[in-house]
Amino acid sequence: MLRVLAVDDEKPALGELLYLLRSDPRVRSADGATDATEALRRISRALDAGPDGEGGVDVVFLDIHMAGLTGLDMARLLSEFTRPPLIVFVTAHEGFAVQAFDLKAVDYVLKPVRRERLAEAVRRVCDLTISGRAARQSPAAAEGAGAGSGRPAGHRTGPVSGPLVTGSTAPGSAPEQIPVELGGVTRFVPIDEITYVEAQGDYARLHTPEGSHLVRIPLSTLEERWASRGFVRIHRSHLVALGRIDELRLDGGATSVRVGTAELAVSRRHARQLRDLLMRRAPG
């Protein structure tokens, strides 16, 4: 029988989904979380307890549009685990189906959720769960596994939340690199390569010319630590490297900046300070 975690930041929708799941005889337990951060903590604890431990999660029924981390962000994070739970997206939006199945979702259920459609999603999950448990019981699957955990030995599996930065630096200066994790491998990204940072709940997404990386660090912490490296707050959701700003745009009462191919809004409270900083950096 399935152990289910449902994640939706709208409590009425979460309650209705849990009611339908708990009424399905194939579901052993169904718990709810109102944001992705809480859900990730629960899943991490479940993995630490082992595949048959208390609080285990076989499948996550996941909304897409949520405050902070979206359902797609959470699915990307879960994909980094050695043995992640299965994912079923439950959403009112049709336009994310391709991305969902790229992330190996088992099913994509549209709201409002019909009992019959949800039952079909549960059936698909049951089929995959049974085959997955059989594989784990084989000697080949057990070889090399960690001590009951879904995490690779010696590796962390979520976004990095340990040292904020690494590198040898003089006292009071900002270190040179920040560790980010992808697929169980920690990579050290030079801070000078980061063009801007985007707040995503308790996380921050670091943007570079080559891509982006999610780290478990609040934007306010990065703002404080990286001020000496020329990073400035332009909006409650964005921190930008001054030297990476290509254009400052004024359109009526609105201000924005272009950083590479991204156009980012500048809030009114930060607009004047940003213009002054850019003028002081201008040659001549």
Side-chain angles (χ1 to χ4, degrees):
M1 296 177 71
L2 295 176
R3 299 163 297 176
V4 177
L5 178 63
V7 188
D8 196 317
D9 63 351
E10 295 183 0
K11 290 186 178 180
L14 178 61
E16 176 66 15
L17 180 58
L18 287 172
Y19 171 77
L20 293 173
L21 288 167
R22 288 167 181 164
S23 66
D24 192 307
R26 295 164 295 184
V27 174
R28 180 171 120 194
S29 64
D31 296 318
T34 55
D35 62 71
T37 302
E38 177 190 354
L40 286 167
R41 291 195 190 105
R42 292 193 188 190
I43 293 168
S44 294
R45 289 196 297 266
L47 288 177
D48 287 338
D52 299 314
E54 184 178 354
V57 178
D58 298 310
V59 58
V60 181
F61 282 74
L62 184 57
D63 188 22
I64 288 182
H65 278 297
M66 297 187 291
L69 285 175
T70 69
L72 294 172
D73 290 328
M74 180 176 167
R76 291 186 187 99
L77 291 172
L78 289 176
S79 70
E80 298 177 3
F81 286 78
T82 303
R83 193 166 58 241
L86 300 173
I87 293 175
V88 173
F89 284 105
V90 183
T91 177
H93 304 276
E94 298 181 1
F96 297 98
V98 173
Q99 295 177 60
F101 288 113
D102 283 345
L103 290 166
K104 305 295 188 288
V106 176
D107 209 341
Y108 192 90
V109 179
L110 290 175
K111 296 178 181 178
V113 178
R114 294 182 293 108
R115 185 185 296 270
E116 297 79 10
R117 182 64 184 86
L118 188 65
E120 171 62 18
V122 171
R123 183 195 64 76
R124 295 181 184 183
V125 172
C126 284
D127 290 346
L128 290 172
T129 302
I130 291 170
S131 61
R133 285 175 179 164
R136 285 203 300 271
Q137 291 169 1
S138 69
E143 184 179 354
S149 170
R151 306 172 182 227
H155 288 288
R156 293 159 61 179
T157 51
V160 169
S161 59
L164 177 63
V165 280
T166 64
S168 176
T169 57
S173 65
E176 302 295 327
Q177 297 174 312
I178 181 168
V180 300
E181 189 161 325
L182 181 63
V185 176
T186 300
R187 176 190 168 203
F188 297 93
V189 175
I191 295 173
D192 289 344
E193 291 184 3
I194 297 169
T195 58
Y196 70 96
V197 186
E198 179 183 5
Q200 295 189 343
D202 292 335
Y203 296 73
R205 184 170 294 281
L206 313 176
H207 292 265
T208 72
E210 288 74 36
S212 66
H213 310 276
L214 198 65
V215 293
R216 192 182 291 128
I217 304 169
L219 193 67
S220 57
T221 301
L222 295 179
E223 178 184 12
E224 178 184 349
R225 300 289 180 88
W226 291 358
S228 63
R229 302 195 71 92
F231 282 83
V232 296
R233 192 74 165 259
I234 64 167
H235 190 275
R236 66 181 181 179
S237 300
H238 291 109
L239 189 67
V240 174
L242 274 177
R244 297 285 190 160
I245 294 176
D246 299 308
E247 292 180 358
L248 175 68
R249 299 177 178 178
L250 306 175
D251 184 7
T255 304
S256 63
V257 293
R258 184 175 63 81
V259 181
T261 59
E263 184 169 349
L264 308 174
V266 180
S267 66
R268 290 180 181 272
R269 62 177 294 201
H270 294 105
R272 183 170 181 176
Q273 178 193 18
L274 178 62
R275 288 196 298 267
D276 291 345
L277 288 171
L278 290 172
M279 289 298 293
R280 286 202 293 267
R281 289 175 62 92

